[in-house]
């Protein structure tokens, strides 16, 4: 097939949609380290995890041997509402950059939640429903995950309680309204609904909250509410599993056209999108069947891979969740108010951490203003307004394409475009008005967070 | 092909995308009445129109004989960025309603401008560019058209000056920022940049503007700026022509699966989306090849078809544009602050007006609260957050499907889902908080506007 026969957008046919998720852990020689009970420091059992999480999701969390896991029909039916997602050949961007590189991106923003988060939200909601639960609790910062979960719960008739970090609740009222459109209960955190919320409000009157506090409130609410469990949109290995649908669709579409990416780029916060996109490609690399260059892009303001350490750490500031071995900046690290709220997490998914540690993946950190410059450049030629998170990957893809322009390399670049920026116009406005600030933590700043990582 | 083989989303292949627009006027026995010079009341000549509009667009405006008009390759390339748009089978909505009706919708919201407006914006910008112009001017109310035009101009390297009604400029700062992302200049109207703006501000200090005033400012700016022309996102027949791509894709996709719609529904403000969707189907009806039921849905607060008169009227409150024969409430009619800003126009496109007058099309008016109820119901099962404008069509489609449930009819319903509601969350918030108001103008209210229609 000649070059130009590749369309702008490659849509798989509905019948070709993957019927199984791919579990990259099955192909890893060094498995990711198990979650530990924060008190006993023993590996968490299924029974212990089952108090907080749904049973089937616990199984998936612990399963590092089955290469493929069937996607239930009900979830596949829901996926059909917005999947297959398009794989786009960025012809317009290539033309604009005058690069010999071939650029592709997998676009996950064509659903109302506006991001890839929906892929795992429907899976988690489905298993909760099948277990006969009444509802689920969760936290949301930027709001993408809360929106996705609200949509999924609304579809299944499941109650959804979202604790939204208070500053986001106030600054992003429209995100809140989308969740309400889907019938979710949205509570600004910290709240008077939980013990931990009351305690924090007593100690810090007027606080605008934090993700760590919202997690604690969501977990407490799940534990004390009959028929509820807690669900989480990133970091966990089960989430990576669900998100593998992104990479599987991408690989299938590329295979149909005989395209092989040389470099695969994804933004990385908790790691759900990056892990999902690269999973099947990484599988080939782990099995020695093919080679790819993988690049994780993180914000310079929250550089867990590039400046963190690989160690067991708490997953939340309240230390109510199990401990995970991961690249971390310390659970006490307070990320600066970077606009890419979805990348403002102190740690990285355990699977990705292990792969990075073993040299299968690279990482780099980029600054916010440069990210918005790339976002605007992309929006103007590709016609999609990217989320700040996704734009981290765009920035590195453009940089690589410009390098190819110098060297003449016809490299094939693939990146994940995780979502749209419709609810991030406040950040774009700051950028347009020249008021965007870059922030790189000093070594001293980092040291405070790193010092809080427990000695094992 | 059996029922269930129809996928959730039907995507045409890129190679099957229409290469020509369909000009429904060619098949009309009673042609729409010509535009008149507002002073002389004579039919506008191409030369007169060419002072305000681009030459090629003037030709298209006046062309009521050529059935098909080639879409230039450059426009088709741009269309590939976001087209073909999906035709969706609303399986989830049907299931929810438990209706025997089959419901389809053509979704035009999968592009950053968030609506179908981009189909005409790129065409108008292209012809302006080809004529060697420096830029274009326009007005925007709700902001969809301004955003679409900004995207198109950015792509072609054309300057874009948008006069945005001041109340929208202030209430929808994020719409403004999207336009700025695409490099457009956005001026709140009325402004001190034009004579008409200065005059209005002197007479009404502190006014928040109106669409009529913004049109006048945009036209004045085009007239006095070397190398600029004025462009418009609806009402004109050229716009209907460009929007015929919606209907042509829809018809092609339906034909591929052997689907024939019984009823075709579209929301109607200026008429661009409705006209575009129905054009090729209407063509068949006009030629006696097939029959369809067409329904225009307008807001009860601005009911030009259902309560207006068919007469020559001014297209703008400033009376600077040519006069058109159309269904109108009078150019002095001030629509209430209905949230569907895109449907707040006193008149209706001349082609649609003629077709309605000749009995080829029906019309109905619906109230705002009921529209938002339908919008929320739709969002919850179909996973798309609809624009308030589009939700007018959803409301009538759901009503019809529920009627079919009573009668057992397996009617095939098609409606146009013109765009997304990401920038309309303020309206959704009012709805959630029970603060949405319905407004139906009294006969006396209407009489004031109708009295201003000139006697010919």
């Amino acid at each position: 097939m000649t070059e130009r026969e590749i369309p702008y957008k490659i849509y798989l046919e509905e019948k070709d949609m993957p019927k199984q998720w791919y579990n990259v852990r099955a192909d890893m020689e060094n498995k990711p380290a198990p979650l530990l009970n924060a008190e006993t420091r023993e590996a968490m059992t299924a029974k212990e995890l089952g108090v907080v999480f749904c049973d089937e999701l616990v199984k998936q969390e612990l399963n590092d041997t089955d290469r493929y896991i069937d996607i239930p029909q009900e979830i596949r039916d829901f996926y059909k509402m917005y999947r297959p997602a398009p794989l786009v050949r960025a012809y317009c961007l290539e033309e604009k950059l005058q690069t010999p590189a071939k650029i592709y991106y997998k676009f996950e923003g064509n659903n109302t939640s506006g991001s890839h988060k929906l892929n795992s939200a429907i899976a988690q909601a489905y298993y909760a429903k099948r277990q006969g639960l009444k509802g689920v609790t969760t936290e949301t910062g930027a709001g993408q995950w809360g929106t996705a979960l609200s949509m999924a719960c609304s579809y299944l008739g499941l109650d959804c309680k979202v604790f939204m970090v208070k500053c986001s609740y106030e600054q992003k009222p429209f995100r809140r309204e989308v969740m309400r459109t889907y019938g979710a209960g949205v509570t600004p955190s910290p709240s008077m609904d939980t013990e931990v919320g009351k305690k924090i409000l007593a100690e810090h009157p007027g606080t605008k909250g934090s993700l760590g506090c919202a997690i604690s409130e969501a977990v407490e609410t799940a534990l004390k509410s009959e028929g509820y469990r807690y669900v989480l949109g990133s970091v966990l290995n089960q989430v990576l599993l669900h998100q593998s649908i992104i990479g599987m669709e991408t690989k299938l579409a590329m295979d149909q056209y005989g395209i092989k990416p040389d470099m695969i780029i994804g933004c990385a916060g908790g790691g759900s999108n990056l892990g999902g996109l690269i999973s099947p490609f990484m599988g080939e690399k782990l099995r020695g069947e093919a080679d790819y260059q993988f690049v994780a892009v993180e914000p310079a303001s929250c550089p867990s891979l590039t400046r963190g350490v690989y160690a067991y750490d708490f997953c939340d500031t309240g230390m109510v969740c199990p401990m995970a071995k991961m690249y971390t900046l310390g659970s006490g690290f307070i990320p600066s108010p970077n606009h890419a709220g979805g990348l403002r997490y102190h740690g990285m998914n355990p699977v990705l951490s292990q792969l990075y540690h073993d040299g299968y993946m690279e990482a780099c950190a980029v600054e916010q203003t440069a990210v918005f410059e790339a976002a605007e450049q992309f929006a103007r030629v590709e016609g999609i307004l990217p989320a700040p998170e996704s734009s981290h990957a765009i920035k590195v893809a453009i940089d690589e394409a410009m390098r190819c322009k110098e060297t003449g390399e016809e490299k094939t670049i693939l990146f994940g475009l995780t979502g749209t920026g419709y609810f991030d116009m406040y950040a774009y406005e700051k950028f347009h008005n020249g008021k965007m600030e870059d922030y790189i933590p000093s070594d001293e700043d980092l040291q405070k967070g790193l010092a809080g990582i427990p000695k094992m």
Side-chain angles (χ1 to χ4, degrees), chain A residues 74-138:
Chain A
E74 292 84 348
I75 297 176
R76 282 161 51 202
D77 281 345
F78 185 89
Y79 278 167
K80 287 179 193 165
M81 198 194 277
Y82 66 101
R83 309 199 68 85
L87 174 67
V88 186
R89 171 71 183 267
Y91 282 122
C92 300
L93 181 61
E94 291 172 19
E95 168 92 16
K96 177 78 180 178
L97 301 176
Q98 290 286 305
T99 175
K102 297 170 191 69
I103 309 174
Y104 293 86
Y105 55 92
K106 179 72 167 175
F107 181 45
E108 291 286 326
N110 271 353
N111 70 74
T112 289
S113 80
S115 82
H116 68 294
K117 295 280 181 183
L118 197 53
N119 301 328
S120 185
I122 184 60
Q124 297 192 45
Y126 168 76
Y127 291 118
K129 180 79 179 175
R130 212 182 60 179
Q131 194 175 324
L133 298 177
K134 283 188 215 157
V136 292
T137 71
T138 199

Side-chain angles (χ1 to χ4, degrees), chain A residues 28-31 310 327 352-361:
Chain A
M28 290 168 71
E29 200 174 341
N30 297 330
K31 305 290 183 191
Y310 188 42
Y327 276 85
L352 293 176
S353 290
Q354 184 68 48
L355 291 168
Y356 179 63
H357 186 68
D358 290 345
Y360 286 102
M361 189 175 80

Side-chain angles (χ1 to χ4, degrees), chain A residues 243-307:
Chain A
Q243 295 295 357
S244 69
I245 187 96
I246 303 174
M248 295 180 79
E249 278 188 11
T250 304
K251 185 150 192 330
L252 197 56
M254 290 193 136
D255 286 349
Q256 284 180 357
Y257 283 84
I259 307 159
K260 185 183 170 295
D262 298 302
M263 179 187 266
I264 305 177
I265 304 166
C267 62
S272 71
N273 140 70
L274 174 70
L277 175 66
I278 71 174
S279 274
F281 299 97
M282 182 62 82
E284 286 194 329
K285 184 163 177 167
L286 291 167
R287 297 191 302 268
E289 296 165 9
D291 196 19
Y292 303 96
Q293 185 185 4
F294 300 104
V295 183
V297 188
E298 50 187 20
S301 58
C302 192
S304 56
L305 287 172
T306 51
R307 297 178 71 194

Side-chain angles (χ1 to χ4, degrees), chain A residues 54-364:
Chain A
C54 305
D55 297 343
E56 191 63 33
L57 293 168
V58 168
K59 277 189 207 161
Q60 293 180 356
E61 191 63 31
L62 298 175
N63 186 339
D64 58 11
T65 50
D66 293 331
R67 188 176 281 167
Y68 294 102
I69 291 173
D70 288 341
I71 307 175
Q73 184 63 49
E74 292 84 348
I75 297 176
R76 282 161 51 202
D77 281 345
F78 185 89
Y79 278 167
K80 287 179 193 165
M81 198 194 277
Y82 66 101
R83 309 199 68 85
L87 174 67
V88 186
R89 171 71 183 267
Y91 282 122
C92 300
L93 181 61
E94 291 172 19
E95 168 92 16
K96 177 78 180 178
L97 301 176
Q98 290 286 305
T99 175
K102 297 170 191 69
I103 309 174
Y104 293 86
Y105 55 92
K106 179 72 167 175
F107 181 45
E108 291 286 326
N110 271 353
N111 70 74
T112 289
S113 80
S115 82
H116 68 294
K117 295 280 181 183
L118 197 53
N119 301 328
S120 185
I122 184 60
Q124 297 192 45
Y126 168 76
Y127 291 118
K129 180 79 179 175
R130 212 182 60 179
Q131 194 175 324
L133 298 177
K134 283 188 215 157
V136 292
T137 71
T138 199
E139 76 292 326
T140 200
Q144 290 188 333
W145 167 247
T147 309
L149 189 67
S150 304
M151 275 184 73
C153 287
S154 160
Y155 181 80
L156 295 169
L158 207 61
D159 186 40
C160 179
K161 296 182 196 294
V162 181
F163 287 89
M164 188 171 187
V165 178
K166 194 176 274 175
C167 67
S168 292
Y169 185 90
E170 291 171 356
Q171 280 178 11
K172 293 190 165 189
F174 295 161
R175 267 281 178 211
R176 182 187 75 210
E177 289 309 319
V178 180
M179 289 185 255
R180 288 177 74 191
T181 299
Y182 288 103
V186 187
T187 306
S189 167
S191 75
M192 293 300 281
D193 295 358
T194 66
E195 295 310 314
V196 65
K198 285 179 202 164
K199 183 161 174 283
I200 290 170
L201 284 171
E203 287 169 8
H204 307 279
T207 176
K208 295 292 183 187
S210 71
L211 207 52
C213 168
I215 292 176
S216 303
E217 288 202 85
V219 172
E220 181 187 322
T221 303
L223 288 173
K224 73 181 182 195
S225 309
E226 182 68 30
Y228 281 75
R229 290 292 185 283
Y230 169 70
V231 296
L232 183 63
S234 191
V235 188
L236 296 175
N237 294 336
Q238 58 183 267
V239 178
L240 219 71
L241 174 72
H242 306 148
Q243 295 295 357
S244 69
I245 187 96
I246 303 174
M248 295 180 79
E249 278 188 11
T250 304
K251 185 150 192 330
L252 197 56
M254 290 193 136
D255 286 349
Q256 284 180 357
Y257 283 84
I259 307 159
K260 185 183 170 295
D262 298 302
M263 179 187 266
I264 305 177
I265 304 166
C267 62
S272 71
N273 140 70
L274 174 70
L277 175 66
I278 71 174
S279 274
F281 299 97
M282 182 62 82
E284 286 194 329
K285 184 163 177 167
L286 291 167
R287 297 191 302 268
E289 296 165 9
D291 196 19
Y292 303 96
Q293 185 185 4
F294 300 104
V295 183
V297 188
E298 50 187 20
S301 58
C302 192
S304 56
L305 287 172
T306 51
R307 297 178 71 194
V309 296
Y310 188 42
Y312 264 107
D313 195 10
F314 301 103
C315 291
D316 60 312
T317 39
M319 303 177 189
V320 295
C321 294
M323 297 175 74
K325 189 172 181 190
M326 56 185 180
Y327 276 85
T328 176
L329 296 165
S331 62
F333 176 77
I334 308 288
S336 79
N338 186 299
H339 291 292
L343 305 180
R344 216 152 58 206
Y345 185 69
H346 69 277
M348 180 59 61
N349 162 273
V351 167
L352 293 176
S353 290
Q354 184 68 48
L355 291 168
Y356 179 63
H357 186 68
D358 290 345
Y360 286 102
M361 189 175 80
E362 302 164 24
C364 66

Side-chain angles (χ1 to χ4, degrees), chain A residues 404-420:
Chain A
C404 289
K405 186 175 178 175
E406 282 176 27
T407 63
E409 270 179 281
E410 294 187 20
K411 189 176 263 191
T412 298
I413 299 168
L414 165 67
F415 69 89
L417 189 67
T418 58
T420 50

